[in-house]
Amino acid sequence: MKVLVCVKQTFDTEAKIELKDGKIAEAGINLIINPYDEVAVEGAIQLKEKNVVNEVVVISAGADKAMDAIRTALAMGADRGILIKQDTAADEYARAVALAAVIKEENPELVLAGHVAADDGSSQVPTRIAEILGYPHINVITSLEIADGKVTCSSEADGGTQVTEVSLPAVISSQVSWNEPRYPSMKGIMQAKKKPVSTVDAVAADNKIKIVEYALPAAKQAGIKIEEDPDVAAAKLADWIMNTAKAEIKK
Amino acid sequence: MYFGFTELQGGYDVPMRIVGANVPYEWLIYIIMFIPITIFLYGAWQRIKLWLLAKGEQHRNDNLGQRFLSWFTFTFAQARVIRKPFAGFMHFLLFWGFVVLAIAAGVDAAHFWLGWPHIEGASYIWFSWVVDWLGFLGLIGIIALAIVRYIQKPDRLNDTKVSDGWVILLVFTILLTGFVIEGLRISAQITMSSTMQQIAYERSASPFGWLFAYPFLNVSLDSVLIWHRILWWFHMAIAFLLIALVPFTKLWHIVTGMLNYFFRDLGPSAVPMVYNIEEAETFGVENIEDFGWKDLLDLDACIRCGRCQENCPAYNTGKALNPKITIIQNMKKHLEAKAPYLLEAKAAGEHEAAEVAMTSEAAEAVEEVNPMEQSLIYDIVTTEVIWDCTNCRACMEHCPMFIEHIPKIVEMRRNLVMWQGDMPSEAQMAFTNMERNYNPWGVGFANRADWLNERGIRELVNLVPEDGKEFEYLLYAGCAVSFDDRYKKVGEALVRLLDKAGVSFGYLGTEEYCCGDSARRLGNEYLYQTLVQSNLDSFNNYGVKKIIVVCPHGYNALKNEYPQMGGNFEVYHYTEILAKLVAEGKLKADKALGAKITYHDSCFLGRHNKIYDQPRQVLKAAGTNLVEIEKGKNFGFCCGAGGGRMWLEEHAVEGYKRINDTRTDQLLVPEPEMIVTNCPFCLTMISDGVKGAEAEEKTKVFDVAEVLWKSMSN
């Protein structure tokens, strides 16, 4: 059985985002494998270790740099990679189209992905892929079992868990709590260098959305500290609430 | 007359070392002696063969002069052994007793084989006096050591074996029979002398032999001479037994100790470097034979004195790690079990190794488990033990044999991390953080210099990449100053002090990276080297020559480990600089604090780098009343955060407190107003400990820099 894992290369979650000419400045930003996708890669490798699947293929749509994300997944234990060369300006629709085209060709029994990317947070691509391919789809899973051509997953539901069963092939997207991704060993990194990665061009698809503007969140204002005896402090605080912060008091 | 005695010229009035008197066929002993010597050499070769199984590289043939000096000092002055006040001194006596007695025996053999003359007259009296005294002191030594092991029973000797008793008995018997023989001989001489004056010199020459002669004075001369002969042969037999047993018993430490004093690591405290890591085919040590020869020699050098165990923070808090037993002795047993297979494989050629192991005669010796199938890191030492270590160096500091425990642990961690990919998830998190944001906390690296503005000291600092001013010292602030809110205050105090003293210093901000210490000591050598390279590039780019480091971990790495990668700078810990500034009068405390304080010696400043005095000088200058605690200086007990353990969870073992709580209790004994540290990890761990002990109201935890800054009106 073959599993295909979609990974996206994203900004490091701690990166300091700055805008330059209305766009996100990429200088000084470390790129990582999307942490949600990393969980999907780990899930696939664990399935392989349990001999449920025999091949784990990693695909990523993006710039040449995305090769690093693929290599990381290979170092973790995936078998081979496919880099789909695509402009990073591609939107979720265009990405899903590009990925779905390759998936169709690879024809895996199972497609895994993180349910959301840490950068744009749009949470659309796995669902779109399932739609394009006409596969069943389970989102935000926290556990997965495969038996008799069916996959059973638990996923987070409001205030509880939902257990869903679908037949294969299917697209499953992971929640971070599914597992704890491994740290690639040097052995893994060395082996990854020898694992095959093919490069294909993305099928042409026009973006359906247009990003109008990026803006950084307003800088958080420093808090105020009133260092007085409690009776004085209370009065000052009340004064600050009413006159500086101009809070409205609803009754 | 009686055999032997008659042949001496001038009767007994000439003081002389009588060799073989009253012992027929005495000359045989000089032939027989080659039997124990042969057995000794054979046994020694069997042990040496084990060390030669080592595949790892270790080079210890540099600085021969210094090595010779080390061998001499630590063997003859027993400089490390005597650090343990009572047992160490008793060992010193026993050692010298045996050295001198061996020389005396050697003189006799030289007389026989090389025709050395008899020692006569005043020389004899002096020679004999020295031998007698030291033999007696040796006897006291062995009795005292037996009392320590069997009556006092300190916890460090918690693995006493039957063989320990036999060795003590053997040594004791050799010494005692020596005196009895001497007593019998003197008693015979007294009886056979015409006047007491004739033999009186023996009283000076052999004061203890003289005492041993008394009981025999009333025994018939015939019996005395017969017993003298019997005991003489018995004495020689057990002495030869002892020589033959050396390589097969704990007595082997006589040889391995001297070898370890010669081949010990002479360098500063540093983890061995992995060169050409990109081309390495394996990482760390997976099998016992992957160690270097010195590591395997270390296993033979362990005499099980337990000084490591006694000082180990992990052992003392009930952890699985016990440097003596669960590291060294377990590895030794494993090597011995595995060696026959390895030797056979080696003889048969490396390629057939696996087959040989399965089919060989050695396989017949298998008891329950095939040692070839036992994993060093999983079955013998175990991962629990490997991760327990805080790299505090107490074991290495107190080991009288200079056994190198930490490098062995780090080698096994390297294998776990870089080869097996098996590590605690917290370690994984720390690695990812260091990899992506160049600090173990994982805060975005772009914010590395933000603490300057947060603490309001931006204008005091020459942030070199932005300000570009010249500087004498680079202030390597490190991750804790940059990202730990509590430690930012320490960074602030230090910056204000340096500024006040007019020190010219620069700071690299976002072009400074994690020092890599935690990565290296957790076994991630690759990540460590990546970080070091980034720092070296930065340092070289800005022409750095002198560096002031805040965190002792970074200090140790920059000072002792960066040179392995070509980073040679003048590296100072900030306490060294402050002590200098205080001594030069550039920093003057003008409101002496007077507070009662205790000081915690961090492992990496203390034992790893022997900086004990400078921080104390600074604290004294600040007018504090420093109360020394029991476990201070080189006996300082770890806070629990070294060796990368800062990033791993410590679970208290039932019946024990965690390491930091244990240490905090020690520091709280004098009920200080402040506990002062010099390390961000210690500050965190001990602050937690003080909270845990609910002593926050009474006792505050500060860093040395903060204390000095407080003592100055600004």
Side-chain angles (χ1 to χ4, degrees):
Chain A
M1 187 163 138
K2 176 154 81 177
V3 180
L4 206 141
V5 191
C6 306
V7 302
K8 183 181 185 185
Q9 190 176 42
T10 59
F11 298 155
D12 180 57
T13 44
E14 292 292 323
K16 193 175 189 174
I17 308 292
E18 276 169 350
L19 296 182
K20 201 180 168 190
D21 307 327
K23 284 187 173 171
I24 298 166
E26 287 184 14
I29 288 181
N30 285 340
L31 298 171
I32 61 167
I33 184 167
N34 175 28
Y36 299 85
D37 296 341
E38 210 176 359
V39 170
V41 173
E42 176 65 33
I45 295 165
Q46 286 184 11
L47 288 174
K48 197 188 164 189
E49 283 169 348
K50 286 182 205 150
N51 292 318
V52 179
V53 304
N54 47 29
E55 193 185 19
V56 177
V57 184
V58 180
I59 60 170
S60 184
D64 290 338
K65 285 183 289 189
M67 189 64 98
D68 291 341
I70 293 177
R71 289 283 174 207
T72 305
L74 295 177
M76 289 170 72
D79 298 299
R80 75 186 156 89
I82 303 168
L83 173 64
I84 304 167
K85 286 174 106 172
Q86 192 174 37
D87 189 339
T88 44
D91 70 358
E92 293 80 2
Y93 165 74
R95 275 179 198 265
V97 169
L99 288 163
V102 175
I103 294 168
K104 202 167 187 181
E105 219 167 281
E106 283 284 330
N107 197 24
E109 280 90 339
L110 180 64
V111 178
L112 291 175
H115 80 92
V116 63
D119 51 3
D120 55 29
S122 71
S123 212
Q124 295 181 25
V125 175
T127 313
R128 282 181 180 275
I129 291 171
E131 181 66 21
I132 295 167
L133 296 171
Y135 289 174
H137 175 45
I138 312 176
N139 214 345
V140 286
I141 65 142
T142 53
S143 80
L144 177 152
E145 297 227 6
I146 296 176
D148 310 323
K150 283 178 181 163
V151 54
T152 312
C153 300
S154 300
S155 46
E156 289 175 353
D158 256 355
T161 350
Q162 173 182 318
V163 178
T164 319
E165 181 189 280
V166 294
S167 59
L168 293 170
V171 177
I172 310 286
S173 61
S174 59
Q175 177 56 295
V176 273
S177 49
W178 181 15
N179 59 45
E180 214 172 297
R182 68 194 63 195
Y183 184 81
S185 67
M186 282 298 288
K187 181 160 77 175
I189 294 168
M190 278 158 36
Q191 286 167 348
K193 288 180 186 163
K194 295 174 195 150
K195 289 177 180 172
V197 181
S198 52
T199 309
V200 296
D201 287 322
V203 295
D206 291 330
N207 282 358
K208 289 198 171 186
I209 61 162
K210 188 181 163 206
I211 293 163
V212 181
E213 194 197 344
Y214 286 107
L216 292 175
K220 224 197 280 176
Q221 288 194 332
I224 63 150
K225 200 172 180 181
I226 305 169
E227 285 178 280
E228 301 281 358
D229 287 332
D231 49 342
V232 183
K236 283 199 173 178
L237 179 61
D239 179 65
W240 183 88
I241 292 170
M242 299 304 291
N243 301 321
T244 311
K246 297 196 176 17
E248 277 181 44
I249 296 175
K250 287 183 184 169
K251 285 188 180 167
Chain B
M1 276 296 270
Y2 297 97
F3 185 87
F5 282 93
T6 52
E7 294 179 16
L8 296 172
Q9 289 174 347
Y12 313 107
D13 51 351
V14 178
M16 143 186 278
R17 182 162 171 88
I18 307 164
V19 179
N22 183 42
V23 183
Y25 306 106
E26 180 257 351
W27 53 272
L28 267 177
I29 211 74
Y30 302 108
I31 313 293
I32 297 170
M33 74 178 199
F34 291 104
I35 299 173
I37 291 174
T38 310
I39 298 173
F40 172 92
L41 291 174
Y42 168 81
W45 174 238
Q46 297 310 306
R47 300 308 302 184
I48 293 168
K49 279 205 294 195
L50 299 192
W51 311 336
L52 296 179
L53 286 171
K55 290 180 188 161
E57 264 189 67
Q58 257 171 333
H59 301 285
R60 295 289 167 89
N61 49 9
D62 54 332
N63 295 312
L64 292 179
Q66 211 186 331
R67 292 194 177 283
F68 185 79
L69 192 67
S70 166
W71 165 75
F72 192 83
T73 319
F74 291 102
T75 305
F76 297 106
Q78 298 265 289
R80 268 273 172 109
V81 177
I82 53 174
R83 275 207 207 160
K84 187 98 207 153
F86 183 74
F89 186 62
M90 290 301 140
H91 185 275
F92 179 84
L93 296 183
L94 178 61
F95 166 80
W96 270 105
F98 257 76
V99 168
V100 168
L101 290 169
I103 290 171
V107 166
D108 294 349
H111 171 68
F112 181 85
W113 283 109
L114 307 172
W116 285 20
H118 278 291
I119 302 175
E120 289 181 357
S123 331
Y124 164 70
I125 294 174
W126 273 111
F127 180 81
S128 175
W129 185 85
V130 169
V131 174
D132 222 51
W133 258 104
L134 283 158
F136 177 72
L137 293 177
L139 194 60
I140 299 282
I142 192 72
I143 293 169
L145 292 176
I147 290 171
V148 169
R149 183 174 287 276
Y150 292 102
I151 296 173
Q152 192 195 9
K153 286 188 186 166
D155 180 63
R156 67 187 174 86
L157 301 177
N158 61 347
D159 61 341
T160 294
K161 296 174 183 175
V162 180
S163 63
D164 293 325
W166 283 113
V167 168
I168 289 178
L169 190 64
L170 184 61
V171 170
F172 172 77
T173 313
I174 290 169
L175 291 168
L176 184 70
T177 52
F179 279 113
V180 174
I181 293 162
E182 191 177 42
L184 287 164
R185 191 251 302 163
I186 293 169
S187 139
Q189 285 178 294
I190 291 169
T191 311
M192 291 160 75
S193 305
S194 43
T195 64
M196 203 59 171
Q197 280 79 7
Q198 231 182 352
I199 194 68
Y201 67 84
E202 272 296 345
R203 194 172 206 156
S204 325
S206 310
F208 297 98
W210 191 264
L211 294 178
F212 274 90
Y214 278 111
F216 307 115
L217 286 175
N218 296 323
V219 182
S220 76
L221 186 60
D222 288 341
S223 305
V224 166
L225 292 175
I226 288 295
W227 274 108
H228 177 260
R229 273 180 213 174
I230 294 171
L231 269 182
W232 191 90
W233 284 106
F234 175 70
H235 176 78
M236 291 317 293
I238 57 174
F240 283 177
L241 178 66
L242 180 114
I243 293 170
L245 281 178
V246 165
F248 307 98
T249 56
K250 69 190 291 188
L251 293 164
W252 185 226
H253 82 280
I254 297 166
V255 175
T256 53
M258 289 195 283
L259 290 174
N260 256 26
Y261 296 151
F262 190 83
F263 291 115
R264 75 189 175 92
D265 184 3
L266 296 172
S269 171
V271 170
M273 174 76 181
V274 178
Y275 293 95
N276 298 320
I277 196 164
E278 299 277 359
E279 281 125 58
E281 284 173 5
T282 57
F283 297 93
V285 165
E286 183 174 9
N287 303 300
I288 189 87
E289 66 272 20
D290 297 339
F291 279 112
W293 62 269
K294 172 60 174 58
D295 285 316
L296 300 187
L297 168 59
D298 275 357
L299 307 183
D300 267 12
C302 175
I303 189 67
R304 306 184 354 265
C305 71
R307 297 186 196 184
C308 51
Q309 170 187 320
E310 190 174 49
N311 290 290
C312 175
Y315 173 78
N316 280 294
T317 52
K319 306 293 188 304
L321 167 61
N322 176 338
K324 174 179 72 171
I325 296 175
T326 58
I327 302 267
I328 302 296
Q329 288 298 320
N330 281 358
M331 279 167 56
K332 182 180 176 180
K333 270 187 252 163
H334 178 58
L335 175 64
E336 285 171 349
K338 205 175 173 183
Y341 300 87
L342 295 171
L343 288 167
E344 208 164 331
K346 203 176 174 186
E350 300 294 335
H351 299 294
E352 298 152 58
E355 287 169 50
V356 170
M358 300 316 296
T359 59
S360 70
E361 286 172 36
E364 290 166 22
V366 176
E367 284 156 39
E368 302 114 41
V369 270
N370 181 346
M372 290 298 274
E373 282 165 14
Q374 278 185 305
S375 156
L376 173 72
I377 47 183
Y378 289 100
D379 303 325
I380 305 298
V381 179
T382 75
T383 51
E384 196 186 351
V385 167
I386 294 170
W387 292 116
D388 274 343
C389 177
T390 66
N391 280 211
C392 80
R393 207 180 159 90
C395 49
M396 293 176 66
E397 172 77 19
H398 298 290
C399 177
M401 301 304 229
F402 290 90
I403 290 170
E404 296 153 30
H405 308 76
I406 297 175
K408 293 179 186 51
I409 291 168
V410 171
E411 285 292 359
M412 291 187 275
R413 286 184 178 180
R414 282 175 179 168
N415 189 265
L416 283 171
V417 170
M418 294 191 287
W419 197 247
Q420 316 291 340
D422 178 5
M423 70 210 84
S425 57
E426 306 103 308
Q428 198 169 315
M429 178 66 84
F431 292 154
T432 307
N433 289 339
M434 285 185 257
E435 213 169 271
R436 293 180 181 166
N437 284 297
Y438 322 123
N439 70 83
W441 277 272
V443 184
F445 73 94
N447 306 318
R448 198 167 175 109
D450 291 3
W451 65 284
L452 295 179
N453 288 324
E454 282 171 41
R455 302 306 315 169
I457 49 171
R458 174 66 185 86
E459 71 284 358
L460 303 183
V461 176
N462 167 15
L463 183 53
V464 187
E466 285 178 22
D467 304 348
K469 288 184 283 188
E470 292 287 306
F471 58 92
E472 182 185 359
Y473 292 95
L474 173 75
L475 175 66
Y476 179 87
C479 303
V481 166
S482 314
F483 300 111
D484 179 82
D485 283 338
R486 171 68 187 84
Y487 215 66
K488 284 173 188 172
K489 294 180 186 169
V490 176
E492 177 193 344
L494 180 62
V495 162
R496 291 193 185 279
L497 287 166
L498 292 176
D499 175 68
K500 186 155 188 150
V503 174
S504 151
F505 68 98
Y507 167 59
L508 293 179
T510 53
E511 293 186 47
E512 171 190 288
Y513 304 85
C514 172
C515 67
D517 168 81
S518 288
R520 173 170 243 200
R521 289 178 184 271
L522 284 171
N524 198 338
E525 181 71 8
Y526 185 74
L527 176 57
Y528 163 78
Q529 292 191 10
T530 314
L531 292 165
V532 176
Q533 200 51 57
S534 304
N535 272 322
L536 292 181
D537 291 346
S538 269
F539 296 167
N540 292 329
N541 185 26
Y542 291 104
V544 171
K545 294 198 173 60
K546 299 179 186 177
I547 306 177
I548 301 171
V549 189
V550 184
C551 169
H553 295 266
Y555 171 69
N556 187 70
L558 266 68
K559 185 180 171 120
N560 300 335
E561 298 185 329
Y562 278 31
Q564 295 169 334
M565 289 181 66
N568 293 298
F569 308 95
E570 264 182 55
V571 181
Y572 301 94
H573 186 251
Y574 80 83
T575 56
E576 294 179 279
I577 298 291
L578 292 185
K580 185 168 152 258
L581 295 172
V582 165
E584 289 170 354
K586 290 184 182 158
L587 289 176
K588 277 198 190 107
D590 46 15
K591 42 174 202 186
L593 295 173
K596 179 156 90 171
I597 66 165
T598 52
Y599 173 67
H600 167 73
D601 284 284
S602 70
C603 305
F604 278 74
L605 198 58
R607 272 185 296 270
H608 285 267
N609 288 290
K610 312 256 176 295
I611 297 180
Y612 301 114
D613 298 334
Q614 293 91 325
R616 286 177 169 79
Q617 287 158 10
V618 174
L619 293 172
K620 199 178 159 198
T624 60
N625 168 23
L626 171 63
V627 182
E628 288 292 348
I629 56 162
E630 196 193 327
K631 286 188 182 294
K633 300 196 175 168
N634 66 335
F635 283 94
F637 193 85
C638 181
C639 73
R645 287 229 43 118
M646 176 71 189
W647 316 106
L648 310 185
E649 196 57 50
E650 185 193 344
H651 303 283
V653 176
E654 216 189 314
Y656 294 91
K657 288 187 171 183
R658 291 188 307 173
I659 297 176
N660 65 323
D661 294 325
T662 309
R663 179 53 170 169
T664 305
D665 287 349
Q666 297 168 2
L667 287 158
L668 285 174
V669 169
E671 298 186 341
E673 288 167 57
M674 295 180 202
I675 295 174
V676 185
T677 71
N678 54 55
C679 167
F681 296 171
C682 299
L683 189 75
T684 305
M685 300 303 274
I686 291 170
S687 300
D688 283 354
V690 170
K691 265 179 227 156
E694 292 178 357
E696 281 170 290
E697 290 293 313
K698 269 200 214 153
T699 306
K700 309 280 177 225
V701 187
F702 291 106
D703 190 277
V704 175
E706 292 176 305
V707 173
L708 184 60
W709 182 245
K710 272 178 199 295
S711 73
M712 297 168 69
S713 48
N714 307 296

